[in-house]
């Protein structure tokens, strides 16, 4: 345990967030740092729609990681709300990790974000070159050089969430920039998102698998109710609605004779059971909310506030 009084004086706690283009590996990185699955990941861009927090607990520090949606030029009302969510998050954290993948060139999207970050002057920015397991040493070296030319970063660090390489270094660099403070959350707590939100995200993740084109962006999930089954302490009833924007999308999600929906439900249920450590009965219904991404009232109902 060590000397509690002197170590308490050195303890650091605070917030970090990762920004970057969609699909650069922000959620995967957060999960790898936290060591548990708290944000959903998928190969579809814009999987993340909420600022989900993961908490890294160490003997000397507590790092609360806020996950943000990919920052990009807004095209829909949903896009605009997501971007304002990201920008307000940036001013509230102690350190920002700006993620750029090692296996792709620096592009317009990265420059757009670098400009936005330059406006958030007070918060230090650590540039994180992600997915290094997918790039050669030469590629990584070239990318580090490109990144150093992009802006004046506090640090530049190459990592791989997949192999775990350099994650400890990244953790140290972020923690160095947190204020001295006692822990903000109870030890052992991994996330402060309500369970219902995490469960909704797991269902959405299951539904995203295998769908294409614009459909991924049209899917939203709201968990209406989670209650223990009467007389059973090992079974939880979960009632959820999945929203799509058009009847044609509903047909795709349900699949021939309901086969696809059944499969989504089974996969989601297994993930929820793993998360909550209990048996789960999942009642999942599909509803059409016409063009919800562009309708302020529906956005609010689905939990995307302005
Ligand atoms: N090989 C490899 N793949 C990775 C790594 N990190 C992320 N990926 C993959 O990259 C894809 C996108 O990862 P996400 O973590 O969902 O990306 P994101 O930046 O959070 O995406 P948005 O939520 O859309 O903003 C997924 O298929 C991941 O499995 C990594 O270190 N190595």
């Amino acid at each position: 345990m060590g000397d509690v009084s002197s170590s308490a004086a050195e303890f650091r706690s605070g917030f970090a967030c990762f920004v970057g283009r969609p699909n650069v590996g922000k959620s995967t990185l957060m999960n790898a740092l936290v060591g548990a699955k708290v944000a959903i990941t998928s190969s579809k861009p814009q999987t993340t729609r909420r600022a989900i927090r993961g908490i890294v607990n160490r003997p000397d520090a507590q790092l609360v990681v806020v996950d943000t949606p990919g920052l990009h030029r807004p095209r829909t009302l949903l896009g605009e709300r997501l971007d304002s969510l990201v920008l307000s998050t940036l001013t509230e954290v102690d350190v920002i990790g700006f993620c750029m993948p090692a296996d792709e060139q620096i592009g317009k999207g990265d420059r757009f974000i670098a400009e936005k970050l330059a406006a958030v002057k007070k918060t230090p920015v650590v540039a994180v070159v992600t997915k290094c397991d997918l790039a050669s040493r030469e590629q990584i070296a070239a990318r580090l050089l490109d990144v150093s030319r992009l802006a004046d970063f506090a640090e530049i660090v190459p990592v791989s969430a997949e192999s775990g390489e350099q994650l400890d270094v990244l953790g140290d660099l972020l923690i160095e920039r947190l204020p001295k403070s006692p822990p903000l959350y109870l030890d052992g707590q991994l996330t402060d998102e309500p369970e219902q939100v995490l469960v909704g995200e797991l269902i959405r993740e299951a539904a995203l698998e295998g769908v294409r084109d614009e459909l991924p962006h049209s899917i939203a999930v709201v968990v209406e109710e989670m209650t223990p089954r009467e007389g059973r302490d090992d079974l939880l009833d979960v009632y959820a609605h999945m929203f799509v924007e058009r009847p044609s999308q509903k047909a795709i999600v349900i699949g021939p004779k309901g086969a696809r929906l059944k499969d989504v439900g089974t996969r989601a249920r297994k993930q929820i059971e793993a998360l909550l450590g209990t048996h789960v009965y999942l009642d999942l219904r599909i509803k059409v909310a016409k063009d919800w991404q562009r309708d302020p009232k529906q956005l609010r109902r689905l939990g995307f506030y302005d």
Side-chain angles (χ1 to χ4, degrees):
M1 281 305 294
D3 181 347
V4 174
S5 56
S6 70
S7 63
E10 290 305 309
F11 202 91
R12 288 178 188 275
S13 288
F15 295 87
C17 86
F18 292 116
V19 297
R21 284 185 286 114
N23 226 21
V24 295
K26 298 179 293 297
S27 302
T28 311
L29 187 59
M30 187 188 83
N31 289 342
L33 272 179
V34 174
K37 188 166 179 166
V38 289
I40 67 164
T41 56
S42 89
S43 55
K44 306 278 175 320
Q46 262 199 296
T47 297
T48 309
R49 288 186 185 146
R50 291 171 199 277
I52 296 178
R53 289 165 187 173
I55 301 178
V56 182
N57 286 298
R58 294 205 328 197
D60 58 336
Q62 187 177 66
L63 175 71
V64 183
V65 188
V66 187
D67 190 27
T68 65
L71 194 63
H72 61 102
R73 286 181 197 278
R75 264 178 311 185
T76 62
L77 186 57
L78 172 65
E80 276 175 37
R81 289 235 169 119
L82 293 182
D83 283 358
S84 73
L85 173 70
V86 176
L87 290 177
S88 62
T89 304
L90 295 183
T91 56
E92 288 162 11
V93 296
D94 301 298
V95 56
I96 297 168
F98 178 11
C99 300
M100 288 160 276
D103 62 331
E104 286 173 33
Q105 301 276 357
I106 303 287
K108 263 202 307 212
D110 303 302
R111 278 189 282 276
F112 171 73
I113 295 167
E115 275 168 34
K116 295 264 180 194
L117 290 180
V120 191
K121 290 201 180 65
K122 271 195 288 186
T123 319
V125 179
V126 172
V128 188
V129 175
T130 58
K131 307 191 188 182
C132 280
D133 58 293
L134 295 180
S136 66
R137 294 180 81 86
E138 292 73 26
Q139 258 179 319
I140 297 170
R143 199 67 66 238
L144 292 173
L145 195 62
D146 295 342
V147 169
S148 70
R149 289 178 179 146
L150 186 63
D152 189 15
F153 295 112
E155 308 272 356
I156 303 176
V157 56
V159 303
S160 165
E162 184 70 29
S163 72
E165 208 168 328
Q166 296 256 99
L167 287 180
D168 47 346
V169 176
L170 174 61
D172 288 344
L173 291 176
L174 298 174
I175 284 169
E176 269 170 34
R177 289 171 172 82
L178 303 183
K180 285 189 182 145
S181 145
L184 302 166
Y185 293 88
L186 289 177
D187 196 14
Q189 193 179 349
L190 292 178
T191 167
D192 75 345
E193 276 295 303
E195 272 176 0
Q196 233 155 292
V197 172
L198 288 179
V199 166
E201 290 289 87
L202 288 175
I203 297 171
R204 197 161 64 85
E205 179 180 50
L208 285 177
E209 213 152 281
V211 297
R212 281 180 295 136
D213 306 326
E214 88 292 354
L215 186 51
H217 302 292
S218 296
I219 295 177
V221 174
V222 174
V223 174
E224 304 284 344
E225 207 186 310
M226 298 200 326
T227 40
R229 175 79 57 90
E230 228 175 84
R232 293 271 302 266
D233 54 10
D234 62 340
L235 181 64
L236 188 72
D237 287 318
V238 176
Y239 298 90
H241 285 148
M242 190 189 305
F243 293 91
V244 291
E245 295 192 288
R246 286 188 290 284
S248 59
Q249 294 175 331
K250 182 171 169 176
I252 295 173
V253 170
I254 292 176
K257 296 199 177 126
R260 203 173 167 274
L261 181 61
K262 197 167 159 227
D263 183 45
V264 167
T266 307
R267 278 184 290 119
R269 181 174 50 75
K270 287 191 181 138
Q271 292 281 338
I272 301 167
E273 289 180 337
L275 176 79
L276 302 179
T278 172
H279 293 294
V280 164
Y281 168 77
L282 176 61
D283 182 299
L284 179 59
R285 308 201 170 195
I286 315 293
K287 294 196 158 184
V288 178
K290 203 168 169 304
D291 292 331
W292 64 262
Q293 289 191 66
R294 291 182 169 75
D295 178 347
K297 225 167 60 200
Q298 306 227 50
L299 278 173
R300 266 196 300 280
R301 194 158 60 93
L302 296 174
F304 303 109
Y305 302 100
D306 38 11

